[in-house]
Amino acid sequence: MALTVETVAAELEAANQAGDPLADALVSDLIDKGEVDGVNGLFRTIGTLKPGQDNSQLPGRLREFLDEAAAEPPGWSEADVRAAEGFFAHHHGEASMLQGTVGLIGTYLSPTGAFTLRSTGRLGGVEGPGRRLSQSSRLFLDMGNKGALRDGSLAATVTKVRLVHASVRQLHKKSGEWDYARWGEPVSQKYTTGATCVFSTQILQSMKNLGIHVSREDAHGFICAWHYINHYLGTPEKWLVPKDADEAEQVWNSQRDKEWQKTDDGVFMTRQAVDFYRKFLPPGAHDAYMAMVRVALTDKYADLAGLPRSVLDLAGKPLAAGHDVLSGIGGGLLGGAVEETVGVNPYKEILGIASKAFNGVERFALTHDQDDQPQMHQELHDDR
């Protein structure tokens, strides 16, 4: 049974002490035997695997891991798949872009999550945020691809993320620098499920804040998709986000203000993300884009993340309500496009611009370092 409002507080406390034994054992063995330089090849192998493929020629450790990791979520059904596909048929571009901005910023509001990301070198973005951000963005884009929930491609992508999470845990464990009494397990099951809430129900709330209508059926489908991802990240059933959209929102709302705080690490990570995405937006669109992100996230949480304020912030709430008093600001930034949409949805144009720009992030992921797979390292501060 997945999390409920009644069980979430106690279960998340237990989940904070739990890693992913199956993936951890595989990655620990790779690091102990000095085989990390070959791990990108392992990730690429996973990316080529198809359902029903003969895995007998794969390395034994990988074959055993994949055999155990391949099972679908308990109770997964054709109806769940159709519901998820319905959401992406209507909202793929908007949702993927919001996950890559509002969603990622939300994960930085977890003090443990922000510290973990910042402290893991290139994986965390200390020197090179582009790789981490672009790889995360690929997941958001790929999950809406046609057939992704049927052909095994999404499960393979998520499995790679699962192994990256395991690598972060092992690097911290072997470094001797992680404060287990203070932080619990690195990239614990609590953090994994919390991030799943951010990328699912928090995104649905953000879409509502921006005036984007999502039907109940589509909302259910989006939560189903993230329930599926939560499972393939190695999370036991008792800690999965529920498939019902209303229940998932209740679970998240009951915990969010206990988990989200302003920290130096979170502000640092947010600033890196903002600076990275800036180069993919057309000239003049950045301020309008940041105003949109603030409205999506709400001022309360945008301030915790250290998102910059501007004159456009004053326009957020009245514009979202359809007023035209500040349309000239948006029109000046976007050549009149926002002014044309005032009274309907003043963020429609910047949503479209941002969604198209997000494709540039995907292209960056495919070409960065001539390697389109995640990377892990031999030591915590290795920044190759």
Side-chain angles (χ1 to χ4, degrees):
M1 181 178 179
L3 291 171
T4 67
V5 173
E6 291 74 26
T7 66
V8 62
E11 289 294 352
L12 287 184
E13 183 63 30
N16 197 41
Q17 307 304 318
D20 180 354
L22 186 65
D24 290 344
L26 173 63
V27 171
S28 178
D29 194 32
L30 287 170
I31 294 175
D32 287 345
K33 294 183 177 179
E35 298 178 18
V36 169
D37 286 338
V39 81
N40 282 339
L42 181 148
F43 285 136
R44 283 191 293 273
T45 298
I46 293 173
T48 66
L49 301 180
K50 305 298 180 185
Q53 180 173 320
D54 180 10
N55 293 338
S56 62
Q57 301 305 311
L58 295 176
R61 291 170 298 176
L62 176 58
R63 182 177 63 251
E64 292 170 7
F65 171 80
L66 290 173
D67 287 345
E68 290 196 50
E72 289 185 336
W76 188 247
S77 69
E78 172 64 19
D80 296 331
V81 175
R82 288 198 303 268
E85 291 174 340
F87 173 86
F88 291 115
H90 299 138
H91 302 291
H92 187 194
E94 298 161 345
S96 60
M97 184 274 296
L98 289 171
Q99 287 174 111
T101 50
V102 174
L104 285 175
I105 289 169
T107 65
Y108 307 153
L109 289 174
S110 162
T112 306
F115 174 81
T116 304
L117 288 166
R118 190 176 181 181
S119 64
T120 46
R122 211 164 150 190
L123 286 170
V126 173
E127 300 295 340
R131 185 179 188 86
R132 174 184 47 77
L133 289 167
S134 59
Q135 293 294 351
S136 299
S137 302
R138 285 196 65 204
L139 171 59
F140 308 142
L141 289 157
D142 289 352
M143 65 188 294
N145 288 344
K146 184 176 181 180
L149 288 156
R150 299 177 184 274
D151 62 12
S153 59
L154 179 58
T157 297
V158 178
T159 298
K160 288 180 280 187
V161 176
R162 179 180 179 181
L163 289 172
V164 171
H165 287 178
S167 76
V168 172
R169 279 191 295 273
Q170 294 307 307
L171 291 173
H172 274 296
K173 181 177 181 179
K174 295 174 189 302
S175 75
E177 298 178 18
W178 185 262
D179 187 341
Y180 283 86
R182 179 183 181 187
W183 297 110
E185 188 75 12
V187 198
S188 69
Q189 294 294 350
K190 174 185 177 181
Y191 177 79
T192 301
T193 293
T196 298
C197 288
V198 174
F199 291 126
S200 58
T201 190
Q202 183 67 44
I203 296 305
L204 290 174
Q205 291 181 6
S206 296
M207 295 173 79
K208 182 178 180 180
N209 292 341
L210 291 169
I212 302 169
H213 174 70
V214 178
S215 70
R216 288 182 62 85
E217 294 79 8
D218 282 350
H220 170 71
F222 190 47
I223 298 298
C224 282
W226 274 100
H227 178 92
Y228 179 94
I229 290 172
N230 201 178
H231 166 78
Y232 279 107
L233 286 171
T235 300
E237 182 180 7
K238 63 182 177 179
W239 295 328
L240 292 178
V241 172
K243 287 190 285 187
D244 181 271
D246 291 337
E247 291 180 8
E249 184 173 36
Q250 291 169 13
V251 165
W252 176 233
N253 286 350
S254 73
Q255 299 300 309
R256 176 174 48 206
D257 286 350
K258 301 175 186 178
E259 298 300 324
W260 278 7
Q261 301 172 32
K262 186 171 186 175
T263 63
D264 290 342
D265 291 325
V267 170
F268 174 87
M269 298 296 292
T270 297
R271 184 171 63 249
Q272 282 207 327
V274 169
D275 290 344
F276 172 72
Y277 286 122
R278 183 191 304 270
K279 64 186 177 184
F280 294 98
L281 292 164
H286 187 260
D287 284 350
Y289 174 67
M290 292 312 304
M292 181 202 69
V293 172
R294 287 193 67 90
V295 172
L297 195 55
T298 74
D299 286 339
K300 175 181 179 179
Y301 301 120
D303 287 344
L304 291 181
L307 279 171
R309 286 179 173 267
S310 74
V311 67
L312 282 180
D313 297 333
L314 301 175
K317 290 181 178 62
L319 282 179
H323 299 292
D324 62 0
V325 292
L326 292 172
S327 62
I329 297 174
L333 282 169
L334 299 174
V338 169
E339 185 174 6
E340 293 172 6
T341 62
V342 167
V344 182
N345 183 340
Y347 293 106
K348 182 178 180 181
E349 187 69 16
I350 191 62
L351 277 164
I353 289 172
S355 296
K356 291 178 181 177
F358 210 67
N359 291 330
V361 178
E362 182 182 40
R363 288 192 294 273
F364 182 88
L366 293 171
T367 59
H368 187 62
D369 285 354
Q370 304 304 308
D371 175 14
D372 65 348
Q373 303 301 338
Q375 181 174 333
M376 75 182 205
H377 305 311
Q378 187 68 40
E379 297 175 354
L380 180 61
H381 302 294
D382 183 352
D383 191 36
R384 286 175 291 169

